[in-house]
Amino acid sequence: MTQTYEDFSKYGKDFADTGLKSFASLTKGAQAIATEAGEYTKKSFEAGSAAVEKLFAAKSIEKALEIQTDYAKQSYESFVAEASKLGNLYAELAKEAYKPFESVVAKAK
């Protein structure tokens, strides 16, 4: 009976330690995602502001359309790149959060 209690206590401690490690990984990953999203927002705002300034300085409709087209193209490319980067960060976050549990799952099998 004592051995069973000790085993149960050990598994409980291992699971708690694993949970804390996983939580630390989640926190670190969420911070990286938030930082990346903040930087993208800042860059996007700056690019939009620059495009508006260029539009107000345009001397013709053709030039304004060219500026708007370039801005739309750059914004789309930037968004696709950022979405890909954030997707990779989320995938890495999931891997890192699961990593501490790999040993627990392996022991359970």
Side-chain angles (χ1 to χ4, degrees):
M1 172 94 171
T2 305
Q3 184 64 29
T4 304
Y5 175 75
E6 288 173 2
D7 289 344
F8 183 73
S9 177
K10 181 183 179 296
Y11 291 133
K13 182 183 179 306
D14 288 346
F15 187 75
D17 289 343
T18 302
L20 289 173
K21 288 176 186 175
S22 179
F23 183 72
S25 295
L26 284 171
T27 303
K28 183 180 175 185
Q31 186 176 20
I33 290 168
T35 300
E36 186 63 37
E39 289 174 4
Y40 171 72
T41 301
K42 181 181 175 186
K43 290 176 188 175
S44 180
F45 180 77
E46 290 171 352
S49 297
V52 168
E53 288 178 12
K54 288 179 185 178
L55 280 172
F56 284 131
K59 301 291 183 190
S60 66
I61 296 292
E62 291 81 20
K63 185 65 177 172
L65 286 174
E66 179 184 332
I67 292 167
Q68 179 62 28
T69 302
D70 289 343
Y71 172 70
K73 181 181 175 188
Q74 290 173 355
S75 293
Y76 175 75
E77 290 171 354
S78 175
F79 173 76
V80 170
E82 188 65 24
S84 176
K85 191 182 297 184
L86 285 174
N88 290 336
L89 286 173
Y90 275 109
E92 188 64 31
L93 170 66
K95 288 178 193 174
E96 289 298 317
Y98 177 72
K99 195 178 285 187
F101 290 103
E102 288 176 341
S103 63
V104 174
V105 172
K107 287 179 188 177
K109 290 183 179 182

